[in-house]
């Protein structure tokens, strides 16, 4: 649910990121929309101005705006928020307008933008428009290009959206803390011509990482590398919505990376092309087919494909630890270690002791063992054939025939045509060693060449 709240009236004095004109000071600050729902909201069609095809924010929404003369006005509120990572765990973060990440800002190339930013945090902040060409005084680097926005203050940023593309917004003030706490959002500028770069479905999400100890809710902001929760729009599987698309649709997925490491994003099924970065659109002659694209820290990649083949196609980070939740970095590896006798002894001291890991960790996917409050299992989520043994950066592109153009609801598990599911073979013959394969007792031949000698000895 998205609601509106009138945070500040016309009597509040504005302090601009650069000089704020007198007509703005005389105008009321637009009310700020807010949402705390983790459900993906349907994309809003533009109510006025140039037409564009709106994006769909994974587990998020787009920020409403109003026209004030020829200015398109938005209102961001930096504040403390609570974000459900997945059912069973909620984190205490900082964000914008009730959520982390904040709502997606959408506009059209050539729009004159006025973005009000109200600070309800306990410390000062700013907003940097990552990748956006803006006047230097609107670039949002606290102390360098503008005064800091102190608690309780509202600043106005004014600039023209000079070119279309995919950008981000985040603070450039106490950045280590504020970004680690979840302050970020997407900024999409649509082409002036609505037919340029047009697709049927256009998804966006940001990648962020957190270190939250089991049983707690507050990120450890000093962590540099050992994060235990890898998220898409501050959600982890199975809390990440599926990407529902209609068979035959041309689909774009825009992914931004504000974590502390790169992420090779891999999609099963359709091959795609990288069509955009936060530096601009990739010309057609420079694109190539891929199934995995690496997204650097502070970067964005837009990928496009035609959803020809129906099914439930996994999309995930290919760093395997990033598709897990709340991993313990000190957990020992016990693969191949017999624990049977040890278990009997330990259970005399700890009746609930459970041996794990002797034969791999797959059993974690179906276990229901006690966990601290507000903690997710390392592996979780079930499909129609059993546990998926996933978490973190994982979702599913669900290609279905006949979906309505604006239908983004989860269509449920894919119904495979008869005879198209991998199945067990019960009468398969035992594997046979090739008759011409060398015996393990036969020594392999090799040649030794001694330094400084022309002699060759074969053994």
């Amino acid at each position: 649910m998205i609601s509106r709240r009138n945070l500040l009236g016309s009597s509040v004095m504005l302090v601009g990121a650069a000089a704020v004109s007198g007509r703005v000071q005389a105008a009321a600050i637009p009310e700020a929309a807010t949402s705390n729902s983790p459900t993906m909201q349907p994309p809003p069609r533009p109510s006025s101005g140039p037409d564009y095809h709106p994006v769909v924010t994974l587990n998020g929404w787009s920020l409403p705006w109003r026209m004030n003369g020829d200015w398109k006005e938005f209102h961001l509120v930096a504040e403390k928020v609570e974000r459900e990572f997945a059912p069973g765990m909620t984190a205490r973060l900082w964000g914008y307008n009730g959520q982390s990440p904040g709502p997606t800002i959408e506009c059209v190339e050539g729009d004159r933008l006025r973005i009000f930013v109200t600070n309800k945090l306990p410390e000062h902040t700013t907003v940097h428009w990552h990748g956006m060409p803006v006047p230097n005084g609107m670039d949002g680097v606290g102390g360098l290009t503008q005064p800091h926005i102190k608690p309780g203050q509202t600043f106005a940023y004014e600039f023209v959206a000079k070119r279309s593309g995919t950008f981000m917004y985040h603070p450039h003030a106490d950045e280590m803390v504020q970004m680690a706490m979840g302050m970020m959002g997407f900024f999409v500028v649509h082409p002036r011509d609505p037919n340029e770069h047009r697709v049927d479905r256009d998804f966006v999400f940001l990648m962020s990482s957190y270190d939250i100890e089991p049983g707690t809710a507050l990120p450890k902001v000093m962590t540099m590398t050992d994060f235990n929760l890898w998220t898409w729009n501050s959600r982890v599987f199975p809390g990440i919505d599926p990407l529902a698309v209609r068979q035959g649709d041309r689909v774009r997925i825009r992914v931004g990376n504000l974590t502390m490491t790169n992420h090779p994003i891999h999609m099963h099924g359709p091959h795609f092309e990288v069509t955009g970065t936060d530096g601009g659109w990739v010309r057609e002659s420079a694109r190539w087919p891929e199934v995995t694209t690496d997204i650097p820290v502070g970067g964005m990649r837009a990928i496009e494909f035609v959803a020809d083949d129906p099914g439930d196609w996994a999309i995930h980070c290919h760093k395997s630890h990033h598709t897990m939740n709340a991993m313990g970095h000190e957990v020992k590896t016990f693969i191949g270690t017999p624990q049977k006798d040890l278990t009997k002894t330990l259970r005399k001291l700890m009746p609930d002791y459970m041996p794990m890991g002797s034969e791999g960790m797959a059993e974690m996917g179906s276990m229901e063992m006690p966990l601290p409050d507000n903690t997710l299992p390392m592996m979780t989520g079930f499909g129609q054939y059993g546990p998926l043994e996933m978490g973190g950066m994982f979702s599913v592109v669900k290609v279905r025939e006949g979906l309505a153009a604006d239908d983004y609801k989860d269509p449920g598990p894919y119904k495979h045509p008869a005879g198209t599911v991998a199945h067990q073979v019960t009468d398969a013959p035992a594997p046979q060693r090739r008759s011409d394969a060398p015996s393990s007792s036969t020594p392999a031949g090799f040649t030794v060449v001694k330094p400084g000698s022309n002699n060759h000895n074969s053994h």
Side-chain angles (χ1 to χ4, degrees):
M1 292 290 293
I2 297 177
S3 61
R4 293 178 178 273
R5 58 187 176 193
N6 198 344
L7 291 172
L8 297 169
S10 59
S11 60
V12 177
M13 182 177 294
L14 298 179
V15 182
V20 178
S21 63
R23 71 178 181 280
V24 179
Q25 294 182 28
I29 300 173
E31 60 186 2
T34 184
S35 173
N36 56 16
S37 170
T39 302
M40 187 163 58
Q41 303 293 328
R45 302 296 308 185
S47 56
S48 61
D51 186 32
Y52 60 84
H53 186 70
V55 299
V56 181
T57 304
L58 199 64
N59 292 99
W61 54 295
S62 290
L63 186 63
W65 45 268
R66 76 174 185 189
M67 292 302 302
N68 184 1
D70 56 357
W71 291 84
K72 187 173 283 187
E73 294 183 336
F74 299 85
H75 192 170
L76 285 174
V77 180
E79 60 185 350
K80 296 178 180 180
V81 303
E82 290 190 354
R83 179 64 164 174
E84 182 191 72
F85 278 26
M89 181 189 175
T90 298
R92 299 202 306 270
L93 306 177
W94 292 0
Y96 301 92
N97 298 61
Q99 284 201 349
S100 169
T104 300
I105 297 175
E106 294 187 76
C107 66
V108 176
E109 189 177 19
D111 279 349
R112 303 177 74 183
L113 306 178
R114 182 178 295 128
I115 304 174
F116 296 92
V117 178
T118 298
N119 183 10
K120 296 183 66 178
L121 296 172
E123 67 169 0
H124 64 229
T125 190
T126 66
V127 181
H128 167 61
W129 316 102
H130 181 112
M132 292 281 291
V134 298
N136 186 241
M138 299 290 169
D139 194 45
V141 181
L144 178 67
T145 64
Q146 70 164 88
H148 293 94
I149 309 173
K150 296 178 181 178
Q153 290 184 331
T154 296
F155 274 44
Y157 294 84
E158 293 178 329
F159 51 87
V160 175
K162 292 184 177 180
R163 60 183 177 85
S164 66
T166 314
F167 312 101
M168 299 178 275
Y169 64 87
H170 60 78
H172 250 299
D174 196 11
E175 186 172 338
M176 179 190 72
V177 169
Q178 294 187 13
M179 290 183 66
M181 289 292 288
M183 296 188 69
M184 59 192 70
F186 244 121
F187 201 130
V188 175
V189 181
H190 296 280
R192 197 72 179 176
D193 180 356
N195 294 315
E196 186 180 357
H197 303 296
R198 192 173 182 90
V199 293
D200 300 299
R201 303 201 180 212
D202 201 339
F203 298 91
V204 300
F205 64 85
L206 279 167
M207 298 187 287
S208 52
S209 53
Y210 300 92
D211 183 10
I212 302 177
E213 291 188 356
T216 69
L218 193 66
K220 298 167 67 176
V221 298
M222 302 301 288
T223 296
M224 296 180 65
T225 57
D226 288 339
F227 299 96
N228 62 3
L229 288 160
W230 301 92
T231 74
W232 288 355
N233 270 16
S234 295
R235 296 279 284 182
V236 297
F237 185 79
I240 300 174
D241 285 336
L243 288 70
V245 304
R246 179 175 50 190
Q247 187 176 3
D249 276 353
R250 183 166 184 83
V251 181
R252 179 184 296 128
I253 303 175
R254 314 182 196 219
V255 187
N257 181 9
L258 291 177
T259 74
M260 298 283 276
T261 187
N262 63 306
H263 296 280
I265 298 301
H266 172 62
M267 187 171 72
H268 300 201
H271 293 188
F272 58 77
E273 294 179 330
V274 176
T275 60
T277 74
D278 37 346
W281 298 101
V282 178
R283 60 186 182 275
E284 289 191 27
S285 61
R287 303 172 186 175
W288 69 93
E290 265 294 5
V291 296
T292 304
T293 185
D294 197 47
I295 306 179
V297 177
M300 189 284 303
R301 295 293 181 267
I303 65 173
E304 293 181 27
F305 60 92
V306 176
D308 285 333
D309 298 321
D312 290 344
W313 302 108
I315 181 170
H316 59 93
C317 178
H318 219 289
K319 290 186 175 180
S320 56
H321 286 189
H322 295 183
T323 53
M324 300 289 171
N325 297 325
M327 293 189 62
H329 297 285
E330 303 302 319
V331 174
K332 306 299 183 183
T333 299
F334 291 107
I335 295 174
T337 303
Q339 300 188 58
K340 199 170 185 180
D341 294 337
L342 178 63
T343 299
K344 294 178 181 178
T345 303
L346 287 174
R347 279 187 175 160
K348 293 178 181 177
L349 302 172
M350 299 177 288
D352 295 329
Y353 174 76
M354 299 176 64
M356 294 184 296
S358 295
E359 299 174 352
M361 299 297 290
E363 59 189 340
M364 293 289 292
S366 56
M367 260 186 189
E368 295 185 4
M369 57 187 299
L371 292 171
D373 290 342
N374 204 48
T375 303
L376 296 173
M378 187 173 72
M379 301 177 184
T380 188
F382 286 80
Q384 59 181 317
Y385 300 108
L388 269 65
E389 300 161 7
M390 287 290 181
M393 295 177 163
F394 180 90
S395 189
V396 183
V397 177
K398 297 195 170 187
V399 181
R400 297 291 189 274
E401 183 180 6
L403 289 185
D406 294 323
D407 185 0
Y408 292 89
K409 298 188 299 294
D410 186 350
Y414 179 61
K415 296 179 180 178
H416 298 90
T420 65
V421 177
H423 59 281
Q424 180 183 5
V425 177
T426 58
D427 56 353
Q432 299 294 318
R433 182 182 296 273
R434 282 176 43 194
S435 60
D436 60 342
S439 168
S440 59
S441 61
T442 304
F446 59 92
T447 301
V448 176
V449 179
K450 296 181 179 179
S453 172
N454 294 323
N455 296 325
H456 293 75
N457 297 318
S458 297
H459 298 277

